[in-house]
Amino acid sequence: MMGLAVGRSALDRLDFDNVALKKLPLDPSDEPGVRMVKGACFSRVNPEPLSNPRFVAVSGEALALLGLAGEEVMNDPLGPEYLSGSKVMPGSEPAAHCYCGHQFGQFAGQLGDGAACYLGEVTVPPGQNPELLRENPSGRWEIQVKGAGLTPYSRKADGRKVLRSSVREFLCSEAMFFLGIPTTRAGSVVTSDSKVIRDIYYSGNPCYEKCSVVLRIAPTFLRFGSFEIFKPADEFTGRQGPSYGREEIRGQMLDYVIEMFYPEIQRGHPDRLERNVAFFREVMSRTARLVAQWQCVGFCHGVLNTDNMSVLGLTLDYGPYGFMDRFDPDFICNASDNSGRYSYKAQPAICRWNLVKLAEALAPELPPDRAKAVTDEYLDHFNRFYLENMRKKLGLLRKEEPEDEILITELLRTMHDTGADFTNTFRNLAQISCPSEGETERDEEIVKKASELLLEQCASLEELKSANTPTMDPRELSMLLSMAQSNPALFEMISDRATIARQLDRMSKLKVLLETSQDELRARQAQEWISWIALYRKRLARELEGQSDIQVVQEERARVMDGTNPRVVLRNYIAQNAIEAAENGDFSEVQRVLKVLEKPFSSQPGLELPTWVGSHRRTEQGERDEGEEPQQGTSSSSTDMSPVPYDSKPPAWARQICVT
């Protein structure tokens, strides 16, 4: 008996306590296939086994949440089977969650876990870091596998994910955590010999790709859309939630979420109405903080539908995300987002819009007038969190001045005008020295040196020309402009003014660039940076006022800035390189990138460069939302084979990467 106990898989010993399935309505039907699920929050499912599942990588840090050692899991013969859903762990109760959502502004009706499968909730092991439990007071970690096969919510899809999308989700989930941004976690990624057909370029030439599965971990995966299953018929789409009229379930779900994940609110508000308002206010505040953190690292989610918004304020569902390279407030990371609804600059407003939809879904448990009062606070919360983060990024630690907003705005304008790299520009700001007494004669030299440092992060003339080339055919643009004047109603049906304005802005900038030489551009960029650096150093001088030990102030500023401005983020080209290696059977680059991302603020000797460099002949495509119509993609013909450091500006071939 002793020998048998020792030989058991560590995953056999996980302590499951699947409270969600006990406290929330479970679909009584075991009918196979896609169907409308009424009056239930979960449906039991049977994950579909994979052929020859094997690990691509594991995150030891994420698996530690479950009391597991990464190396032990990696070497466990049953590990890939258990963590792909191919074999069900003792105590696990596979299920899929029912939810609805507003997708690109329109109510889509029933959506649900079309590829994800809830495995259960693992009780927190003894001795878990209290900091990790601060925002997870439930005492359990929900685990799910994404890509484990069909569920009642798979719609027209097959419930599978492929290596591309799985590697992207695995790496970014962990990257966000180590950047200090609230997120769901990823414990492992498993691939297999099972294959599905995917049209990689949406070109009509599909090919087979390997089925892969990500293990996801969070306190809960409930989302704004979880509460939209009660929605009455939508006035625009006519669709309604599958549990419309089942008011008691809404109350049940609200009780579950607050009691389990917001116990302080439950204890502090004996009045149910005040409790619900306090809950919504906390979700609003967490959401505002989250999107402020995204903005401050240049992260764009790509698909901020209500079904991708966590009720805990976590980054949820990594599809066509992107970290900005060249700073552009109109940055769109999702090639399917033709209108720019989910662009970088739109994210704060879209998150507020989603909160309004959550409030509507909570009524009458949350009266509309009380909900409006809370959502009216959102902008102040966002601005406070954003300015707090931005001051740290600029090393403004001792004073808060109204002019700081102008300084930040001018920095971003200069970055945009010069095409500066977002991540690297902020990282370099710590090298700009504070002025000190008696160095007036050296000021000009210091500013010039600082500007040269930042000029290295600016775009070349060719890069800016490429970035500002209109994506719309001039004849189509001309036709739409004419239509906007002659037939506004028809124009609104097929386009929008924001899209046209972006195209006209690009044309205007391109015209100027075509009349500019590289030397003229560089001189103009240098002058812009010199002007901003002078403003910045004046502000830094005010940080030193009344300080006796200037050296201590300088050191603290550099330490905070280097701990706030990452050296490395998961740029698309880094993910693409790891994906190509994995698709060629080499998983070491995925593991190497994970190591780099675990310490994004530090230099890591020996981990500066990728060890695998691919052909980059294929445009990388992320998985589109289940049921979303395919969009035409473009392919890359770049064959630049030279390795690029992880903290570098992206190589030329990266501009061809297209994610939808």
Side-chain angles (χ1 to χ4, degrees), residues 629-646:
E629 290 303 309
Q631 303 289 327
Q632 186 66 37
T634 57
S635 61
S636 166
S637 59
S638 173
T639 54
D640 180 7
M641 303 286 284
S642 42
V644 178
Y646 297 119

Side-chain angles (χ1 to χ4, degrees), residues 150-287:
L150 289 168
T151 78
Y153 314 106
S154 295
R155 308 201 293 288
K156 297 176 185 176
D158 53 28
R160 292 299 193 189
K161 295 296 176 184
V162 296
L163 199 52
R164 292 176 285 115
S165 60
S166 300
V167 167
R168 279 175 59 83
E169 172 137 12
F170 173 76
L171 289 175
C172 201
S173 299
E174 293 305 279
M176 293 292 268
F177 173 77
F178 289 105
L179 286 169
I181 298 172
T183 179
T184 59
R185 302 293 300 276
S188 62
V189 58
V190 171
T191 193
S192 69
D193 291 341
S194 301
K195 293 183 178 179
V196 286
I197 290 181
R198 292 288 186 266
D199 188 348
I200 300 168
Y201 305 118
Y202 308 121
S203 61
N205 297 302
C207 66
Y208 283 98
E209 293 193 69
K210 290 178 178 176
C211 295
S212 302
V213 173
V214 176
L215 176 76
R216 307 204 298 181
I217 305 169
T220 181
F221 285 88
L222 294 183
R223 51 202 73 207
F224 290 12
S226 301
F227 288 96
E228 291 191 292
I229 63 173
F230 314 105
K231 181 176 168 54
D234 184 76
E235 61 178 313
F236 298 109
T237 64
R239 301 186 185 104
Q240 70 178 34
S243 293
Y244 169 62
R246 300 293 301 272
E247 304 295 320
E248 77 284 0
I249 300 178
R250 181 196 287 112
Q252 204 175 336
M253 196 188 306
L254 195 54
D255 289 346
Y256 169 74
V257 169
I258 297 173
E259 289 169 12
M260 195 66 64
F261 306 108
Y262 294 96
E264 289 182 6
I265 290 174
Q266 179 70 20
R267 288 192 298 268
H269 296 84
D271 180 80
R272 184 178 182 86
L273 171 58
E274 295 306 321
R275 181 203 70 166
N276 294 348
V277 172
F279 160 70
F280 184 62
R281 178 172 282 109
E282 181 63 21
V283 174
M284 177 277 294
S285 181
R286 290 189 187 198
T287 302

